[in-house]
Amino acid sequence: MVRRMGLAVAAVVVLSVTTAGCGNKPLVGVLLPSSGVAATYGESIESGVRLALSDARARNAVPAEFEVLWADTGSDPGRAADELRRLATERGVRLVIGGATSAEARAMIPELEELDVVCLSPSASAPGLAQLSRLFYRIYPSDALEGHTAAKFLADRLDKSTVILYAGNAEYARGIEPEFQKQFEDGLGGRIETRVDLSDSDWQSQSVAALRSATDPGVYIIGYADEILEVLRHLDGEGFHGRVVTTAAFYSGAAIGKAAELAEGLLFPLPPFDRTSEKEPVLSFVNRYMETYQRAPDVFAAHGYDAMRLAIEVMAIASPPQTQEIRRALQFGVSEFMGVTGPILFDESGDVKHYPKMFIIKDGQVLSYQRYLKAERARILRQVQDLLVDQG
């Protein structure tokens, strides 16, 4: 098993090395939260990044003098911006993988412009981020698309006309909620019966009242994994057994493991990464990941893997490895890049052209909802056939 190395600042920077000496070296900075509230996501992303590095080195596919410089953001937007500045000014880094959270990405974007550094985000998803800078690219789809997908699923597939909405107060939740509301109420004629504010100390009392007054509502939980898990425990305690849809933030091995049976049947939209797929390059990635880490990859590991693979390919093309050439490589040089999360193509703003699909947790496994329905239909058909044989 590959030993997980921390993102310690001490291992990142050799202060005696000057910026001038690194100007033409293909350097990539990796700024992830290995501590703080977002550490779970940072760890998943890092695991994918390290596997991509290992794969590329095994194929001798890394450019000459290629080097990765690691830094811990501490889940702190201000610290993320500081680490970006340090890597750029002290080491001459012109490409970073970072902005694991939307808050970190938003804090880094003004620094990108001032330092002339390109950022490739593996997971920041707040709407409008890519429009803030010509130097910011992301391979994770916007929350606007996630909110839109969840609304259509609740209304069209689950046939829910009313929803109890549980919403956190992080930027992630604030990005999804308006898009969900617009699509569910204005676009599909549904109604948000009650909005439960998870940042309110009295949210559980609000929830109890809503659950008792509503008739067969759907539930939509917008938040990070810990908030979602808290709501699931609350719903279970109140005896709610209806359909629950939540956000992609729940899709981490740690969260699903903690939730155990509470997660059974939970639904959420995800970027198009299906770890049960038997197609390449997904199949090989999943097999190598499980051999390396003894666990299945989640969506954040997959995006970390694609981010580093893309960064390596960009640095192999960009000559010299400076900002203008890096941008040109991202926009035109890797136009047919096939990632494990799907083909990676950027629009004119730097947003990836990916659209979420619905997934479901069954028996502790995250399955494509379409694949799950197909398997359920086949199972029911076999039961009917067995029954007919027995009766005959």
Side-chain angles (χ1 to χ4, degrees):
M1 180 177 182
V2 171
R3 181 172 62 89
R4 181 178 182 271
M5 298 174 64
L7 300 179
V9 172
V12 175
V13 176
V14 178
L15 293 177
S16 61
V17 178
T18 65
T19 299
C22 302
N24 288 318
K25 289 181 63 175
L27 306 177
V28 175
V30 180
L31 298 94
L32 296 175
S34 64
S35 58
V37 295
T40 297
Y41 305 109
E43 181 176 355
S44 285
I45 295 167
E46 182 191 351
S47 69
V49 168
R50 290 193 181 278
L51 185 61
L53 277 169
S54 176
D55 285 353
R57 286 171 177 150
R59 300 192 312 271
N60 293 317
V62 296
E65 297 187 279
F66 181 82
E67 186 177 355
V68 177
L69 308 173
W70 300 82
D72 177 17
T73 66
S75 306
D76 180 346
R79 181 169 165 182
D82 290 342
E83 292 294 341
L84 169 63
R85 176 172 291 277
R86 185 172 57 78
L87 289 179
T89 57
E90 295 180 3
R91 296 302 303 269
V93 169
R94 288 293 171 263
L95 174 63
V96 296
I97 294 172
T101 67
S102 294
E104 288 183 6
R106 194 176 297 281
M108 291 168 61
I109 284 174
E111 301 294 327
L112 299 177
E113 294 294 324
E114 182 178 343
L115 299 167
D116 201 30
V117 173
V118 177
C119 179
L120 180 61
S121 173
S123 52
S125 55
L129 282 178
Q131 286 72 32
L132 297 177
S133 172
R134 63 187 175 86
L135 299 173
F136 183 82
Y137 297 80
R138 58 176 167 186
I139 63 173
Y140 200 96
S142 167
D143 291 334
L145 297 174
E146 180 172 341
H148 185 276
T149 301
K152 282 187 64 65
F153 186 82
L154 277 158
D156 294 344
R157 299 303 297 269
L158 299 185
D159 197 28
K160 298 299 181 182
S161 58
T162 60
V163 164
I164 299 175
L165 174 65
Y166 296 81
N169 193 38
E171 182 166 4
Y172 175 59
R174 293 194 298 271
I176 295 176
E177 185 176 349
E179 298 298 329
F180 172 81
Q181 182 175 355
K182 179 180 179 181
Q183 178 66 15
F184 188 72
E185 293 192 326
D186 300 341
L188 299 168
R191 186 178 76 257
I192 296 175
E193 188 79 19
T194 303
R195 180 190 184 278
V196 179
D197 183 356
L198 296 177
S199 65
D200 190 327
S201 60
D202 194 40
W203 73 265
Q204 293 192 16
S205 296
Q206 299 173 31
S207 172
V208 170
L211 291 169
R212 291 176 179 174
S213 63
T215 302
D216 192 30
V219 163
Y220 184 42
I221 310 169
I222 309 175
Y224 283 121
D226 288 346
E227 294 172 310
I228 297 165
L229 180 55
E230 192 173 359
V231 176
L232 291 177
R233 288 169 175 157
H234 166 75
L235 292 173
D236 182 66
E238 292 300 317
F240 179 80
H241 300 296
R243 303 311 297 267
V244 180
V245 176
T246 189
T247 62
F250 193 75
Y251 185 24
S252 73
I256 294 172
K258 287 180 182 178
E261 67 274 6
L262 294 178
E264 186 70 10
L266 190 65
L267 296 144
F268 41 79
L270 288 175
F273 168 65
D274 180 3
R275 71 184 181 198
T276 65
S277 173
E278 298 180 357
K279 296 180 180 179
E280 294 294 352
V282 176
L283 181 61
S284 294
F285 162 68
V286 172
N287 287 339
R288 288 194 303 277
Y289 190 96
M290 294 184 71
E291 289 171 2
T292 303
Y293 297 106
Q294 285 77 58
R295 66 177 188 270
D298 60 25
V299 70
F300 302 105
H303 280 79
Y305 184 79
D306 276 353
M308 180 49 77
R309 284 184 60 222
L310 184 59
I312 292 171
E313 189 156 335
V314 163
M315 283 310 208
I317 296 170
S319 181
Q322 297 299 315
T323 304
Q324 184 176 352
E325 295 301 320
I326 291 169
R327 289 190 67 227
R328 183 177 290 115
L330 278 169
Q331 290 285 6
F332 308 111
V334 291
S335 58
E336 296 182 359
F337 185 88
M338 175 57 72
V340 298
T341 60
I344 296 180
L345 298 169
F346 297 106
D347 64 18
E348 63 279 1
S349 298
D351 272 323
V352 72
K353 298 179 180 180
H354 282 174
Y355 297 91
K357 297 180 180 180
M358 292 302 299
F359 286 73
I360 186 171
I361 298 177
K362 295 298 292 183
D363 300 322
Q365 299 298 312
V366 179
L367 306 175
S368 158
Y369 187 70
Q370 290 299 327
R371 187 186 294 266
Y372 161 73
L373 287 182
K374 184 177 180 180
E376 280 296 286
R377 293 189 187 104
R379 181 184 64 80
I380 292 171
L381 179 59
R382 287 194 302 271
Q383 287 181 336
V384 171
Q385 291 172 336
D386 291 343
L387 182 60
L388 291 174
V389 170
D390 292 342
Q391 290 179 344

